[in-house]
Each structure stands twice: as structure tokens, then as C-alpha cells.
Amino acid sequence: MDIVAFGVQADERPFLEKAFAGRHQVRGVDVFLNRDTAPIARGYEIVSSSVNADLSADVLQTLAAGGTKMVAQRSTGFNNIDLQAAADLGMTIGRVSHYSPYAVAEFAWALALAVNRGIVRATNRTRNFDFRLDGLMGRDLRGRTAGVLGTGKIGEAFTRIAHGFGMNLLGWDLVENQRCTELGMKYVAQERLFAEADLITLHVPLVEATRHLVDAAALTAMKDDAILINTGRGGLVDAAALVDALKAGRLTGVGLDVYEEEAGLFYFDRSLEIINDDTLARLMTFGNVLVTSHQAYFTEDAVGQIVEATVANVEDYLTGRTNENMLVTRGQLPAAAQ
């Protein structure tokens, strides 16, 4: 079976080629799947998409018209996919329901530590042989409070690291994680978590109920010296409201691996272009804000697991089986999605 994979990163390509070797022929392209690139998939029954793909109804219609019957997305989130349109077209949609939670949790901590201790600012200074400590004072995290919104696998991994730092633990989720409570986590209302946490991290999926979970009201409730970390989905944070809070001199630091308008920006070299996104451009001007390009998942372990799960999804589709990763199976939505 010939498969076309969109949005293949250079470091990801060897994993894909090795995983599919001897099974299927994979054509990896570095462009992302969207309205303009969908015609590339003509003639391919199976398409693999990446995290920033546009799988809206019109893109799915273009794919289906070209003979595509199965889309295997190499990511967990699926807010970018019109599942009802896929079902109406009789398609199968798979994703990767989970992979190494430590990849994302550890990166979230890397961001938290970097903004707390001014690592990026310090490195930029020392490269210019400026060895002053002015403005680089951080805080001990031991004894302070970590607020974890979303305590699934990634949130739990973050919590275990916070416990190792000796932090007090507050959590919020629809369902409590017993393994987190055993570490001393106390589940509280969002409002209390925002008000009491010194370090706030987001690990919930992006659905309508969580869009702009961190809005102007939530930011107002936070401590002036709080640290905010988002390695989940960009839409969890109202970026314009965040800019306003930062302009007011609030928050010790912010670490963002995701941004709500990242599509078309992240994973591309835009260094020679004019960036028209005023909100992102303003965020970049704050010395206490660190923005990375949706790379929290990007470890050898996680990418290997993502690719293996994608291969399994393809094999199950070809043999008529289903699994927990299937969001739509041959035009049938699971009961929970209907």
C-alpha cells in the first residue's frame, strides 16, 4: 500500500521509514495538509497527517474525491478534524490517543525552570560577555504551590515532578486521579487554583468547554508573580488577554509551547518575512515570556511511539479491525461522539 504522509519533520522521517519498511511504501512530504496541499494526496487511499493539519470539511471532501479513505493523524488532539464530515464521507479517521507523557511533562518543567531562573536572558547576556546578575533573581519552588489543570497521564507526570521538588499540589479535572491524590494533590475549583498557585500548567484537551480556559478573568485571579505554562493547545489561553496582563506588569514568567494561531507559523522558517500576527509579535517582546514551536512532544521516545501507533492504525484499517485510536471507522462515529 502506498501512503502519503504530510508535515514530516526531518528528524521524524527516519522513524517513519523504519516503521513502515517491509510493510508499505511511504511518501513523506514536509508540507502540511490543508486546502492548498490536499490535491497532493490524489490516488492515495491512506493519508497520514500531522498535528497542525487542516482537516475541515472541504479538505476532507478533496481527499475523498481523490480516493482517500483513511486518515491516520500522528497526534493526540483532533480539534482540527471535522469528524461528522468524515463520517458522512465514509472515511476512517485514526489518531494517537497517547504516547510518552514524560516528553510533554518534562518540557513543561523545562519552560517553567527557564522562565523562573531567567535562563534564556542569562544565556543571551553571557554570549555577549555580559555576566551581570541584574534581573535574573528567581525563586525556590520548594514549598510553593503548583496548580495542574488536567491530571491525566501528562498532568500526572508533571505532578510527580512537582512532588519531587517538594511543592504543594492543587489540581483541577472532571475526574480525580487517585495517583495524584496519593501524592498529596488537593482537587479544588478552577477559581481557587488560579488564585493560590504559584506555578500553573495546562494539560487539558481543547474542546469548546476549555477554549480560553485562561481568559481575562482567570488571569486577573492569578497572583501577580505567578508562572503560567501551556504545553497543551494554544486555544486554552486567550492570548490577547495574556498580552494585557503582561503589559500591566503581571506574572513572573510565561512559557508557551503552543499558540492559538500557530497554524501557518509554527514549523516554518518565517525569519525573513513580516509577521502580521500582532498578538504573537507583542508576546515575543516580553523578556519574561518564552515561546517555543510546539515541540514538547518531540523526543525520540514519543515520536517512536507515535509512529508505531500510526502503523498499527493503518494495519487495523486494512484488516477491518478497530481500536481505541479510531475516531471514525468507515463512516461510523463512535457512540460517544454522536
Side-chain angles (χ1 to χ4, degrees):
M1 175 67 66
D2 287 344
I3 301 168
V4 60
F6 286 85
V8 178
Q9 304 294 320
D11 292 337
E12 178 189 19
R13 188 178 298 274
F15 289 88
L16 271 173
E17 293 175 348
K18 181 179 179 180
F20 280 104
R23 306 184 192 186
H24 308 287
Q25 185 66 39
V26 178
R27 176 192 175 193
V29 295
D30 58 5
V31 298
F32 293 90
L33 181 56
N34 55 38
R35 291 175 176 83
D36 296 328
T37 62
I40 293 173
R42 177 171 293 277
Y44 288 91
E45 180 178 342
I46 298 175
V47 168
S48 180
S49 59
S50 57
V51 64
N52 274 338
D54 174 5
L55 286 163
S56 52
D58 55 344
V59 174
L60 290 169
Q61 288 166 4
T62 299
L63 293 177
T68 298
K69 297 180 180 178
M70 195 261 186
V71 177
Q73 179 146 292
R74 304 187 309 281
S75 70
T76 299
F78 53 92
N79 54 286
N80 60 317
I81 308 173
D82 190 327
L83 297 181
Q84 186 59 60
D88 294 341
L89 292 164
M91 302 179 78
T92 293
I93 306 291
R95 57 144 178 175
V96 179
S97 59
H98 59 273
Y99 53 85
S100 169
Y102 311 108
V104 179
E106 290 172 6
F107 194 85
W109 268 104
L111 291 177
L113 294 172
V115 297
N116 179 43
R117 301 303 299 270
I119 300 298
V120 175
R121 179 178 290 172
T123 302
N124 289 337
R125 283 185 185 178
T126 55
R127 285 185 183 278
N128 292 318
F129 297 95
D130 179 352
F131 299 103
R132 294 172 300 158
L133 297 182
D134 298 354
L136 299 181
M137 183 175 288
R139 294 176 294 168
D140 288 3
L141 293 175
R142 181 176 178 83
R144 287 188 163 82
T145 300
V148 184
L149 291 110
T151 55
K153 291 182 174 64
I154 297 173
E156 179 187 335
F158 186 97
T159 298
R160 290 189 180 281
I161 299 172
H163 180 261
F165 270 94
M167 300 188 75
N168 303 314
L169 304 171
L170 295 180
W172 175 85
D173 207 325
L174 298 179
V175 178
E176 295 186 8
N177 184 333
Q178 183 178 347
R179 291 178 292 276
C180 290
T181 58
E182 289 171 352
L183 293 171
M185 174 172 280
K186 183 174 182 179
Y187 281 85
V188 297
Q190 289 179 31
E191 295 77 13
R192 179 176 171 185
L193 187 151
F194 287 137
E196 296 184 10
D198 300 290
L199 168 59
I200 297 168
T201 183
L202 309 178
H203 301 293
V204 297
L206 178 60
V207 295
E208 200 53 43
T210 60
R211 184 172 297 278
H212 287 182
L213 180 67
V214 176
D215 57 8
L219 288 162
T220 298
M222 293 179 193
K223 296 180 178 180
D224 286 343
D225 59 358
I227 293 172
L228 174 65
I229 305 296
N230 186 15
T231 54
R233 286 290 182 269
L236 298 174
V237 175
D238 183 338
L242 178 58
V243 167
D244 289 340
L246 290 163
K247 286 168 61 178
R250 303 189 61 249
L251 304 182
T252 289
V254 176
L256 303 175
D257 186 52
V258 288
Y259 173 65
E260 58 182 329
E261 300 297 335
E262 68 183 56
L265 289 172
F266 284 17
Y267 303 136
F268 296 97
D269 180 1
R270 303 299 191 198
S271 59
L272 300 178
E273 302 175 20
I274 300 297
I275 300 302
N276 295 319
D277 189 323
D278 292 342
T279 301
L280 179 60
R282 187 66 176 95
L283 281 171
M284 295 289 199
T285 67
F286 295 103
N288 60 337
V289 174
L290 180 54
V291 178
T292 51
S293 54
H294 207 144
Q295 70 180 82
Y297 79 97
F298 208 52
T299 67
E300 294 178 358
D301 310 81
V303 171
Q305 292 167 16
I306 289 168
V307 169
E308 288 296 334
T310 301
V311 171
N313 289 344
V314 169
E315 295 293 346
D316 283 350
Y317 161 75
L318 292 172
T319 55
R321 297 189 301 265
T322 188
N323 62 49
E324 64 175 342
N325 288 328
M326 296 302 184
L327 300 169
V328 183
T329 304
R330 289 176 167 79
Q332 297 298 313
L333 283 166
Q338 295 181 14

